[in-house]
Amino acid sequence: MPAPGPAISIRGAVKRYGGITAVAGLDLDVPEGICLGLLGRNGAGKSTTMRLLTAQSRADEGEIEVLGLPVPRRSKRARAMMGVVPQQDNLDEELSARQNLEVFAHIYRVPRAGRRAAVARALALAQLTDRADTPAVKLSGGMRRRLLIARGLVHSPRLVLLDEPTVGLDPQVRQELWSLIARLRDEGVTTLMSTHYIEEAERLADDCALMARGRVVARGSPEKLIAEHAGAEVHEHYGTADRLAEIERIAREAGVPTRRTGPSISLLKAEQFDDALRARLPVPPIRRPANLEDVFVLLTGESAD
Ligand code: ATP
C-alpha cells in the first residue's frame, strides 16, 4: 500500500559530532517515484543525511519519516522496504554474484518461494546473468558496482538510497550505471542519490537538493535551478589575473553573478546584460549555455577548503 505522504520527510534535523554540526536544521521532502540528486561539497552533510535515514545515526533534533514510518523508532520496518547501496564496496569476495544476492535476499526476508526469482531479476537488472557464478573477487570494478546496486534491489524496495554510485569509475561504466539508475525510476522506485558529479545529477535527477553546511540551500529541477541562478547564457573571459579581477569588479557592481572557472571568469545571466554593461566588458567573450555546475559553484563557494 503506498504511503500517503512523501517517500522521505525530514523536518528540522540536527546531527552534531562533538563541536561539529554535520546536519544543521535540515528540511527535505522526497515525493514518491522521483530521483532526487543530493549535491554538495565534501563535508556538506550528505552522508550524514543518508545515515540518519537508515538509522545508522540518530538525529539530536528533528523529525524523520521514511515511507510514512518514523525513524529511528520504526526503522526496522522502513529498512525492509528500502534498498541501501553504500559508497564502499563491501561485497563478499569469496561468494559468487548469485550467492551475494542470495545472502541479502535472506537478510531482507524475501519469502523462500520467491527468492530464486528475486535473485534472477536482480541479476538481470544489473546485466550480470551470465556472470552469476563468478566469484565477486573475479568481477571487474564496473561489474562489482552493478552487483552492489543489484544487492540493494533484491527485495524490490520502494525507495533506494545510492551514496555516490559512480565514484571512481570510467566513463563507459558510469554510463552503464546511469542506464541502470534510470531504469529504476522508470519502474517507479524512489531514488535518493548523493553525488559529486554534476553531470550525473543533470542527467538522472528529476529534482536536485543542493546542500551546504548541513542544510538545503537550493532545491528544484536542474532546469529550474539553472534558470533561477545562472540564467540562460554565460560569458567566459580569459586574461591576466588583474584583468579578470577588473571584469569581476565591473560585473559585481552591475549585480551580475560571477564564478571563477579555472583560468577564466564566467559572468552568469549574460542574456540580461544591458548596453552600458556590454560597453564596459571586453569582447568577444566565449559564450556558452549556463549549466548546473555554475549554480553549484555560485551557491557553495569557489575555493577549495
Ligand atoms: P563527502 O562528500 O566528503 O562524503 P558529506 O557531504 O557526505 O561529505 P558528511 O560525511 O556528512 O559530509 O560530513 C559532514 C561533517 O560532519 C563533516 O565536517 C565531517 O567531518 C563530520 N562528520 C561526519 N561523520 C562524523 C563522525 N562520525 N564523527 C565526527 N565528525 C563527523
Side-chain angles (χ1 to χ4, degrees):
M1 194 177 66
I8 292 174
S9 162
I10 302 179
R11 289 273 163 277
V14 174
K15 177 65 190 176
R16 298 183 197 90
Y17 293 107
I20 295 172
T21 305
V23 166
L26 176 71
D27 292 320
L28 184 70
D29 273 347
V30 183
E32 287 244 31
I34 74 161
C35 175
L36 183 100
L38 197 57
L39 289 169
R41 299 184 61 179
N42 293 127
K46 304 179 299 295
S47 301
T48 304
T49 302
M50 295 281 195
R51 282 200 298 274
L52 293 177
L53 291 168
T54 56
Q56 287 165 285
S57 281
R58 273 171 180 256
D60 298 303
E61 294 172 31
E63 312 286 323
I64 299 177
E65 281 192 5
V66 175
L67 299 169
L69 298 162
V71 170
R73 194 158 57 78
R74 301 202 58 203
S75 58
K76 214 167 165 191
R77 179 93 187 88
R79 279 297 291 266
M81 295 187 284
M82 100 207 244
V84 181
V85 181
Q87 200 180 123
Q88 296 291 342
D89 177 339
N90 57 0
L91 294 168
D92 192 321
E93 302 278 353
E94 306 301 321
L95 299 186
S96 68
R98 189 198 314 278
Q99 288 165 334
N100 266 284
L101 296 176
E102 282 169 352
V103 168
F104 267 65
H106 185 76
I107 291 173
Y108 277 102
R109 295 170 195 241
V110 175
R112 188 182 292 271
R115 238 176 256 168
R116 186 192 288 259
V119 168
R121 181 186 159 278
L123 282 168
L125 194 64
Q127 292 172 298
L128 286 171
T129 306
D130 57 347
R131 305 305 292 263
D133 298 315
T134 306
V137 71
K138 293 197 179 157
L139 296 174
S140 72
M143 290 175 189
R144 291 177 71 108
R145 179 65 50 172
R146 293 206 306 262
L147 180 57
L148 210 56
I149 295 180
R151 198 185 65 179
L153 301 174
V154 75
H155 55 307
S156 300
R158 281 171 41 202
L159 168 68
V160 179
L161 307 187
L162 295 169
D163 197 1
E164 299 278 353
T166 68
V167 76
L169 298 172
D170 72 38
Q172 287 85 345
V173 173
R174 291 179 67 207
Q175 277 163 38
E176 282 175 12
L177 290 178
W178 289 347
S179 314
L180 174 54
I181 296 166
R183 276 208 296 281
L184 284 184
R185 203 215 11 222
D186 295 344
E187 290 186 6
V189 178
T190 310
T191 309
L192 175 63
M193 171 183 75
S194 79
T195 181
H196 284 116
Y197 297 113
I198 311 280
E199 188 193 354
E200 185 159 285
E202 230 167 358
R203 281 173 186 246
L204 294 178
D206 300 293
D207 231 9
C208 289
L210 204 54
M211 275 188 88
R213 294 171 297 282
R215 280 200 195 92
V216 172
V217 294
R219 167 77 187 259
S221 66
E223 298 75 25
K224 172 180 170 281
L225 290 175
I226 293 167
E228 199 171 310
H229 298 280
E233 190 172 274
V234 171
H235 286 184
E236 268 185 53
H237 293 273
Y238 286 78
T240 61
D242 286 352
R243 189 74 176 124
L244 296 186
E246 190 196 337
I247 295 169
E248 192 170 37
R249 184 180 53 75
I250 293 169
R252 291 208 173 146
E253 280 171 11
V256 172
T258 66
R259 63 164 287 211
R260 289 290 177 132
T261 20
S264 66
I265 178 139
S266 289
L267 276 51
L268 314 184
K269 299 189 173 178
E271 72 283 2
Q272 297 175 16
F273 292 177
D274 60 21
D275 289 344
L277 177 59
R278 274 179 223 280
R280 297 181 68 196
L281 291 168
V283 284
I286 294 174
R287 296 160 182 261
R288 64 170 173 82
N291 59 43
L292 196 58
E293 187 183 290
D294 296 318
V295 180
F296 185 88
V297 176
L298 186 72
L299 298 183
T300 65
E302 292 191 332
S303 54
D305 286 333

